[in-house]
Structure formats: C-alpha cells, structure tokens
C-alpha cells in the first residue's frame, strides 16, 4: 500500500448577506458565502498513488428577489448565482490496480439563474413551478476532465411542476397530488458504467390519500412513465452510480401516535 502521509489543515468559512424590503410585497437580497469540504486519506491507495487529498473550496455569490401578491395567493422568487470552485476533489480510477482514489484538480465555475412560483387559486389548491438554467464548466483540467468541459451531473436545464389539492371529507382530510420534473442532458463520470451521457428525462409521481385522526391510507404511483435514468454518478464518492427507481405502484398505511 501507499505511504500514509500526515494531513493538517486549518479551515475557515464565512457568510455575508444583505436584504431590503421595497414596499409591502417586494424583497431584494444579496449573499456571499464561502464553503469548504475537508481533505482526507486515500485508505486503499497503492504505490504511486496519493495517500492524501486536500480540501476543496466553493465561494458563492447570489442576488435575488422575492415578490408576494396581496393575500399571499401568489408568490414569485428569482435569483442569479455564481459558484467558484477551487482544488476540485476528483475521483480517479486505476484500471491496472482496480482501485479508485481522490486527487485535487483545478478550478471550476458554475453560473445560472432560477425562478420559482407558488399559486393558490382556490382554498385547498396549491400549484408550484420552478425552472433552472445552469452553465457549469472546468476552468482548468481536473483528472480525466479537460478545461472547458462540463461538470458531471449538471444538466443545463431543469424544470418542475406540481399540484396539490386538500379537502375535508367527513371527519378526515383527503389529499391528491401530482408532481412532474424534467431534467436536461448531463454527462457522467463513467467510472463504473459504459455510458458517458445521460439523455434528458422526466419523472412523474401521483399520490392520493385520506387521513382521519392519526391514521392515513394512501395510494401512490412513483415514476409513472417508468423512465430509466442515472440520477447521479459520483465525482467524489468512489465512483458510485445512483439510478432512479422504476415505476412503483403501492398502498401505504400510516399510524401516528
């Protein structure tokens, strides 16, 4: 095995924020924050592989606004953000030794905008929607990635819609909900699967329930269209791959005391 090096780091973070109300319904804000993820040891490192990896750091900048319509039946929020990522921790795979280990790469940058809205058109009925546009690229080469390449697991377009209805029936409450989420194309690390890109996909979930006192019965359908997708391939967690759940139809019963 590789030689076990010593690793010592002093890590500090900060967060600065400012906000201002404009009238009764509009709020403006700005945030600057520093985040850090500690380094560590490559416990399975072989000869010639690094025994340690250092911390990586993200500095984020965000400006946004929140607007709420009178009586709180409609609210909208929007934000623009940027993340500067230094010394990116990258998972490397050694085919000859069949081991993986973490190294520190270069710099990466993410920039984007997101919008979210919530509307309550009638008593018990709520609709929400959100959309995100993102550009995430390596500024310097990092591991198997070259400068200018997209970061793994970062779709450039994502949007979601949901609706929920609640109504009192008898002594209990009935609920029905539907959620839809569309995720754009993304690239994968390719460490444990022979697939470099995940095409865009959509997930649809449906649920209805009735609750009385501390008891609830529900019928649900998750991933109703039976989409098959890799939700995430790990950039830092030993090459793990996370798949979505296939179409699942079920009945649940819950008792709360």
């Amino acid at each position: 095995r590789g030689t076990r090096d010593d690793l010592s780091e002093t890590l500090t973070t900060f967060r600065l924020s400012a906000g201002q109300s404009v009238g009764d319904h509009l709020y403006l804000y700005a945030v600057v924050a520093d985040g850090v993820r500690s380094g560590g040891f490559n416990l399975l490192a072989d000869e010639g592989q690094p025994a340690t990896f250092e911390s990586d750091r993200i500095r984020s900048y965000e400006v946004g606004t929140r607007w709420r319509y009178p009586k709180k039946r409609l609210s909208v929020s929007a934000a623009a953000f940027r993340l500067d990522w230094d010394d990116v921790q990258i998972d490397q795979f050694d085919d000859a030794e069949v081991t993986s280990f973490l190294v520190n790469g270069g710099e990466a940058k993410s920039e984007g905008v997101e919008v979210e809205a919530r509307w309550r058109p009638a008593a018990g009925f709520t609709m929400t929607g959100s959309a995100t546009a993102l550009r995430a690229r390596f500024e310097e080469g990092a591991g198997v990635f070259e400068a200018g390449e997209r970061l793994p697991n970062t779709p450039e377009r994502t949007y979601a819609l949901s609706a929920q209805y609640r109504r009192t029936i008898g002594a209990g409450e009935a609920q029905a909900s539907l959620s839809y989420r569309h995720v754009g194309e993304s690239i994968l690390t390719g460490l444990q699967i022979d697939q470099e890109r995940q095409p865009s996909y959509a997930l649809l979930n449906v649920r209805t329930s009735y609750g009385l006192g501390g008891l609830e019965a529900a019928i649900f359908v998750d991933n109703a269209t039976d989409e098959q997708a890799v939700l995430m391939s790990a950039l830092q967690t030993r090459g793990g791959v996370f798949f979505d759940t296939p179409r699942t139809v079920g009945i649940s019963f819950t008792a709360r005391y």
Side-chain angles (χ1 to χ4, degrees):
R1 296 298 177 184
T3 301
R4 182 67 52 80
D5 295 339
D6 292 330
L7 179 67
S8 177
E9 296 181 301
T10 300
L11 307 176
T12 59
T13 61
F14 70 87
R15 177 183 173 88
L16 301 174
S17 62
Q20 177 66 50
S21 296
V22 180
D24 296 330
H25 312 298
L26 183 64
Y27 181 74
L28 306 176
Y29 70 90
V31 179
V32 179
D34 208 37
V36 66
R37 179 173 45 186
S38 63
F41 296 94
N42 289 310
L43 299 180
L44 301 180
D46 285 304
E47 292 292 339
Q49 298 174 353
T52 64
F53 55 94
E54 297 179 354
S55 61
D56 56 1
R57 180 179 296 271
I58 291 181
R59 180 162 296 175
S60 62
Y61 308 86
E62 180 177 339
V63 293
T65 181
R66 304 187 188 103
W67 177 81
R68 181 169 293 178
Y69 188 74
K71 298 183 180 179
K72 302 181 181 180
R73 299 187 69 172
L74 175 64
S75 62
V76 179
S77 62
F81 58 87
R82 170 178 160 176
L83 292 84
D84 294 332
W85 194 358
D86 294 328
D87 298 325
V88 183
Q89 292 177 6
I90 303 291
D91 203 339
Q92 299 282 272
F93 189 75
D94 189 324
D95 291 319
E97 300 294 338
V98 196
T99 58
S100 64
F101 53 92
L102 288 173
V103 299
N104 290 95
E107 299 178 357
K109 179 185 295 184
S110 298
E111 300 172 316
V113 294
E114 55 187 4
V115 179
E116 182 176 354
R118 179 182 296 269
W119 182 34
R120 294 189 295 175
F125 187 33
T126 303
M127 299 180 66
T128 62
S130 63
T132 301
L134 176 68
R135 185 184 187 278
R137 296 288 190 275
F138 285 102
E139 297 287 291
E140 300 176 355
V144 298
F145 299 98
E146 298 180 357
E149 284 195 276
R150 289 169 57 184
L151 269 67
N153 314 307
T154 55
E156 295 186 337
R157 300 289 184 272
T158 304
Y159 59 84
L161 297 169
S162 67
Q164 183 181 63
Y165 182 67
R166 297 184 178 187
R167 182 176 179 177
T168 299
I169 299 178
E173 181 180 69
Q175 296 187 43
S177 63
L178 180 148
S179 65
Y180 173 84
R181 184 168 184 261
H182 179 274
V183 180
E185 180 194 53
S186 61
I187 66 171
L188 307 172
T189 60
L191 293 178
Q192 293 187 7
I193 53 177
D194 296 326
Q195 180 180 343
E196 294 183 353
R197 291 182 179 270
Q198 169 58 54
S200 61
Y201 62 93
L203 297 176
L204 176 65
N205 300 323
V206 183
R207 187 177 190 273
T208 183
S209 65
Y210 182 78
L212 179 63
L215 303 176
E216 182 186 73
I219 301 174
F220 63 89
V221 182
D222 291 339
N223 190 8
T225 57
D226 200 25
E227 289 274 2
Q228 298 181 15
V230 177
L231 300 181
M232 185 177 70
S233 59
L235 185 62
Q236 300 89 7
T237 55
R238 307 297 178 195
V241 180
F242 303 88
F243 296 89
D244 68 329
T245 302
R247 180 191 296 121
T248 304
V249 181
I251 300 174
S252 67
F253 298 94
T254 304
R256 299 181 178 86
Y257 298 94

